């Protein structure tokens, strides 16, 4: 606690000291024993127990099976982790207790000043010492006997003070517990956000892997079909080239036979001509009859048989989508969990 800073600001050392000794829960001076939290802020043991019980409603006692619990410091929201002893496991701040004792002794020895107790506005010399239940305002005895509250119901100021102080403490504990619940929900939402991001990345990786596998399968199938086209192309071109070679050989033979026939026709001597003419004519006739080589059929060069229709695959690719059954199942599972909660 920074006592020196409080003294310098307020001017009155006792007033500054009193502010440092006020519990942030009950707004009263720390009551014995005072517990010190790991964040160096102090609470009354009873107030700490109330806050701890509100944050851990299922924690019963030191002998229970539950190992420990946690709650947040109402001053700085630092999370305090407790063992199986609960609040009783926290250390007492003996220094603060001694300061409180010295402060109380000092206050009891000081004379009471006039301005330290609220005074009645109607009767300046009368202290406010009762509470008007009807009007719900503090007042003095003279107002009850002779003044505006003579026909009202009154009660002792201290009893009303204690009742409203207890009610305020309960409200504070309720607010602290509500803040802890909100913090828990925030943590759960942040965890859900992180889980959503991680699950989305995993879904993206799985989707990419499946599409990559599909692309690899398409590439493999494409290579297989291209290989079949190449084999057919090689077979047809080889056959056509063999026919070309055959026709070239026949053309060469026929050309040589034509040259021989022309030379024979130029022979002027009858005897010389007749000696070779008959055999030459026979050779030409036989060559003409045996010159029938293979031919290719019409459309032999066409490769239309290897056309592939991909319309059904295109439609299937366009129709690709996430499985609606899984999404619906996850959605309904989430609704059931929310209903159970």
């Amino acid at each position: 606690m920074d006592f020196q800073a409080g003294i310098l600001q307020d001017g009155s050392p006792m007033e500054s000291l009193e502010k440092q000794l006020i519990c942030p829960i009950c707004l009263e001076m720390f009551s014995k024993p005072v517990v010190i939290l790991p964040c160096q802020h102090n609470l009354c043991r009873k107030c700490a127990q109330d806050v701890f019980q509100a944050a851990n409603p299922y924690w019963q006692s030191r002998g229970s099976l539950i190992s420990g619990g946690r709650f947040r410091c109402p001053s700085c929201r630092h999370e305090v982790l407790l063992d199986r002893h609960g609040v009783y496991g926290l250390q007492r701040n003996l220094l603060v207790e001694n300061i409180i004792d010295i402060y109380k002794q000092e206050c009891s020895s000081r004379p009471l000043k006039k301005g330290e107790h609220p005074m009645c506005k109607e009767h300046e010399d009368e202290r406010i010492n009762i509470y008007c239940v009807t009007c719900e305002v503090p007042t003095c005895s003279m107002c009850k006997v002779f003044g505006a509250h003579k026909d009202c119901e009154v009660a002792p100021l201290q009893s009303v003070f204690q009742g409203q102080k207890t009610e305020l403490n309960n409200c504070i504990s309720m607010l602290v517990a509500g803040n802890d619940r909100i913090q828990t929900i925030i943590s759960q939402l942040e965890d859900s956000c992180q889980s959503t991001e991680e699950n989305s990345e995993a879904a993206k990786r799985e989707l990419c892997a499946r599409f990559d596998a599909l692309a690899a399968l398409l590439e493999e199938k494409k290579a297989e079909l291209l290989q079949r086209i190449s084999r057919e192309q090689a077979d047809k071109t080889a056959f056509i080239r063999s026919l070309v070679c055959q026709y070239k050989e026949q053309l060469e033979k026929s050309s040589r036979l034509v040259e021989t026939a022309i030379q024979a026709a130029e022979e002027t001597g009858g005897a010389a001509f007749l000696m070779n003419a008959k055999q030459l004519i026979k050779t030409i006739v036989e060559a003409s009859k045996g010159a029938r080589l293979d031919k290719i059929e019409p459309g032999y060069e066409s490769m239309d048989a290897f056309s592939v229709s991909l319309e059904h695959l295109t439609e299937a690719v366009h129709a690709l989508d996430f499985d609606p059954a899984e999404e619906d199942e996850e959605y309904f599972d989430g609704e059931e969990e929310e209903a159970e909660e």
Side-chain angles (χ1 to χ4, degrees):
M1 294 181 297
D2 192 0
F3 295 101
Q4 195 68 24
I7 293 174
L8 293 175
Q9 291 177 0
D10 295 334
S12 173
M14 297 303 293
E15 293 179 0
S16 301
L17 180 61
E18 181 180 358
K19 292 181 179 180
Q20 299 293 336
L21 300 177
I22 296 299
C23 174
I25 297 298
C26 63
L27 302 179
E28 294 182 353
M29 193 168 295
F30 293 118
S31 61
K32 295 182 180 181
V34 175
V35 295
I36 182 168
L37 305 178
C39 58
Q40 304 302 314
H41 290 118
N42 297 281
L43 291 175
C44 299
R45 172 172 288 178
K46 181 180 180 304
C47 296
Q49 180 67 26
D50 293 339
V51 175
F52 173 72
Q53 194 68 34
N56 302 270
Y58 298 106
W59 195 92
Q60 298 176 356
S61 64
R62 287 178 288 178
S64 64
L65 298 177
I66 300 178
S67 60
R70 63 184 66 191
F71 70 96
R72 295 189 179 274
C73 174
S75 298
C76 65
R77 306 304 299 161
H78 177 80
E79 189 174 51
V80 182
L81 301 177
L82 302 181
D83 57 12
R84 61 187 180 86
H85 299 289
V87 173
Y88 293 93
L90 294 172
Q91 298 179 355
R92 291 173 55 182
N93 193 338
L94 300 179
L95 175 61
V96 175
E97 292 185 20
N98 295 332
I99 293 174
I100 291 175
D101 293 338
I102 296 173
Y103 174 81
K104 289 182 177 180
Q105 293 176 6
E106 180 66 22
C107 290
S108 61
S109 62
R110 289 188 303 164
L112 185 64
K113 297 180 181 180
K114 181 178 180 181
E116 290 184 355
H117 194 284
M119 308 299 290
C120 180
K121 294 181 180 180
E122 299 294 333
H123 309 89
E124 296 181 357
D125 295 332
E126 292 293 328
R127 297 171 59 185
I128 295 179
N129 55 3
I130 59 175
Y131 185 82
C132 178
V133 180
T134 305
C135 301
E136 297 182 348
V137 292
T139 185
C140 69
S141 301
M142 296 297 293
C143 289
K144 169 59 181 172
V145 178
F146 304 106
H149 302 283
K150 62 180 180 180
D151 297 327
C152 298
E153 180 183 357
V154 296
L157 188 66
Q158 189 65 23
S159 62
V160 179
F161 164 76
Q162 291 296 335
Q164 292 194 1
K165 182 61 72 69
T166 302
E167 184 178 356
L168 179 60
N169 292 337
N170 294 335
C171 292
I172 293 174
S173 300
M174 190 165 50
L175 286 176
V176 172
N179 292 340
D180 289 338
R181 285 194 295 270
I182 293 175
Q183 184 63 40
T184 301
I185 295 174
I186 292 175
S187 300
Q188 292 175 350
L189 292 175
E190 291 176 348
D191 293 341
S192 299
C193 183
Q194 182 178 359
S195 299
T196 301
E197 293 177 353
E198 294 174 355
N199 294 336
S200 298
E201 293 300 324
K204 290 178 181 178
R205 290 193 297 269
E206 181 181 0
L207 183 64
C208 291
R210 292 189 177 183
F211 269 84
D212 291 342
L214 180 60
L217 180 62
L218 290 175
E219 287 293 331
E220 181 181 355
K221 192 64 177 178
K222 182 178 73 173
E224 177 187 347
L225 296 179
L226 288 174
Q227 187 177 5
R228 288 175 57 185
I229 295 176
S230 299
R231 285 199 302 266
E232 184 69 15
Q233 175 188 353
D235 293 341
K236 287 188 175 183
T237 54
F239 177 70
I240 294 173
R241 288 193 177 96
S242 66
L243 291 180
V244 170
C245 292
Q246 292 177 16
Y247 278 98
K248 283 183 178 181
E249 291 178 359
Q250 183 178 356
L251 179 61
E252 184 178 355
K253 290 179 181 180
S254 178
S255 298
R256 288 198 300 268
L257 189 59
V258 169
E259 291 178 359
T260 303
I262 292 173
Q263 291 177 0
E266 292 176 352
E267 182 64 40
T268 58
F273 175 77
L274 292 175
M275 288 179 62
N276 297 319
K278 186 175 181 180
Q279 184 61 35
L280 181 59
I281 293 172
K282 182 179 179 182
T283 301
I284 293 173
V285 172
E286 290 178 355
S288 300
K289 292 181 180 180
R292 298 177 181 177
L293 299 176
D294 293 335
K295 298 180 181 179
I296 60 175
E297 299 177 355
Y300 179 78
E301 67 279 3
S302 175
M303 302 296 286
D304 294 340
F306 293 93
S307 63
V308 177
S309 176
L310 299 178
E311 292 182 359
H312 60 290
L313 290 180
T314 304
E315 294 177 357
V317 170
H318 285 300
L320 280 177
D321 200 352
F322 299 105
D323 189 359
E326 295 181 358
E327 293 182 354
D328 294 342
E329 184 177 354
E330 293 178 356
Y331 175 76
F332 288 121
D333 290 344
E335 283 191 343
E336 292 177 357
E337 292 177 359
E338 292 179 357
E340 291 177 357
E341 292 178 357

